[in-house]
Amino acid sequence: PNPIPQSRDDMQATTTTPTYTSDLHQRLALSTTEAFSIITSHLAQTPLRRSAAGSSLFMKMENLNKTGSFKIRGALSAAFRLTPEERSTATFTTSSTGNHALACIEAFRLANVRAKIFMPETVSEYKLSKIRGLLPADGSTTIELFGKDCAVAEARAREVGGSFYISPYNDLRVAGGQGTIALEIQSQLESEGGVEPKEIFVPVGGGGLICGIAATAKMLWPNVKIVGVSPVRSACLDESVKAGRILGEGEVSASEIPKFYPGALPPPTKHHSS
């Protein structure tokens, strides 16, 4: 595998090998390298653990990351790549149903960024209470509830923020931050004897996580297979690929699966690989 690039120049040097499939692939990989120094300055590596289900199966424990998920990576990457002028004068907007909001509150606090986070009115009281409890006392980050759906809240955040809107997934800085997971995996596998992964399974929501990981993993291991995993009731990527276009709200079918409740087992999943 290629060594972990430590700078933009190191990453650009990899373009001499046929590992990029498109201009966007290269831009995503470059974004990950730019995010790497930010992430290592603020976060410890999350563990890569062998699964009890099989000695060749590893799990990247992002649930042990700061704020409880991988989202802090993208939030830090976006916040610390803003210019000093942007940080001091602009109020940024973003949208979330929970994890991205928690990550942004922490990242914006560290980077001294002012922001408003839009959330749907239907967000759970538990999440809302937890998020409000972490808001800075100086009011530099605030919450606004808007609409009955996350897509409506996102549209409102985009409308209010304009060029100062930070998408929780459709942003090169955010996706690049999530891609640092692949760089950590590469380093951690070196200590396992230089194992080269054959497949990497990645949960799919908005797509920022899988874009960042796939772009970086394909640069490090050109033959690795990336498998996206999504709930049957929200298999937007799977159905969009089948349709040959991005499906909008209301176009994705939902299977008849019992509703979620606390303690319920995860629902069946769909896989899409590339």
Side-chain angles (χ1 to χ4, degrees):
N2 296 323
I4 293 179
Q6 299 298 325
S7 68
R8 186 180 180 91
D9 289 341
D10 289 346
M11 182 67 86
Q12 288 174 328
T14 66
T15 60
T16 58
T17 60
T19 54
Y20 295 123
T21 58
S22 67
D23 175 66
L24 179 58
H25 181 188
Q26 182 174 356
R27 289 165 61 204
L28 278 166
L30 287 170
S31 180
T32 297
T33 290
E34 291 171 353
F36 193 58
S37 61
I38 297 171
I39 300 307
T40 55
S41 295
H42 292 91
L43 301 176
Q45 277 194 355
T46 53
L48 184 70
R49 295 179 178 170
R50 285 185 182 270
S51 171
S55 60
S56 62
L57 179 64
F58 293 84
M59 297 183 296
K60 185 65 167 153
M61 309 299 292
E62 285 298 297
N63 59 308
L64 301 180
N65 215 333
K66 188 180 289 188
T67 74
S69 79
F70 69 90
K71 293 284 189 177
I72 187 65
R73 296 175 183 269
L76 285 169
S77 174
F80 277 93
R81 281 200 263 180
L82 301 174
T83 67
E85 182 181 4
E86 287 174 330
R87 292 192 211 180
S88 63
T89 61
T91 296
F92 288 82
T93 66
T94 190
S95 56
S96 174
T97 56
N99 286 334
H100 180 65
L102 290 170
C104 283
I105 291 170
E106 176 66 8
F108 293 161
R109 179 186 68 81
L110 291 171
N112 295 315
V113 173
R114 298 187 63 84
K116 176 177 283 190
I117 302 172
F118 288 82
M119 305 182 72
E121 297 168 357
T122 53
V123 67
S124 74
E125 284 298 324
Y126 172 77
K127 282 186 179 180
L128 188 58
S129 175
K130 184 176 180 180
I131 290 167
R132 281 178 168 162
L134 295 174
L135 290 172
D138 63 3
S140 56
T141 298
T142 59
I143 296 292
E144 181 172 328
L145 301 182
F146 187 88
K148 303 294 184 182
D149 182 85
C150 58
V152 176
E154 180 178 351
R156 178 59 176 168
R158 191 184 301 274
E159 177 187 10
V160 172
S163 61
F164 297 117
Y165 171 70
I166 299 176
S167 171
Y169 54 92
N170 193 20
D171 186 297
L172 281 173
R173 298 163 299 185
V174 172
Q178 324 303 27
T180 59
I181 292 174
L183 294 179
E184 288 185 12
I185 290 173
Q186 198 267 357
S187 175
Q188 291 166 315
L189 287 180
E190 284 296 313
S191 65
E192 296 286 341
V195 178
E196 183 169 337
K198 294 181 179 178
E199 295 179 319
I200 299 178
F201 292 81
V202 187
V204 177
L209 177 64
I210 195 169
C211 282
I213 289 179
T216 307
K218 285 289 189 179
M219 182 272 297
L220 294 169
W221 308 287
N223 296 321
V224 71
K225 184 176 184 180
I226 309 298
V227 183
V229 185
S230 59
V232 169
R233 292 189 67 184
S234 183
C236 301
L237 173 62
D238 184 71
E239 296 201 20
S240 292
V241 169
K242 290 176 181 176
R245 62 184 179 86
I246 298 175
L247 298 179
E249 186 180 357
E251 293 185 280
V252 179
S253 62
S255 301
E256 292 298 323
I257 298 177
K259 293 182 178 179
F260 295 112
Y261 58 91
L265 291 174
T269 56
K270 283 190 176 183
H271 300 73
H272 179 73
S273 60
S274 63

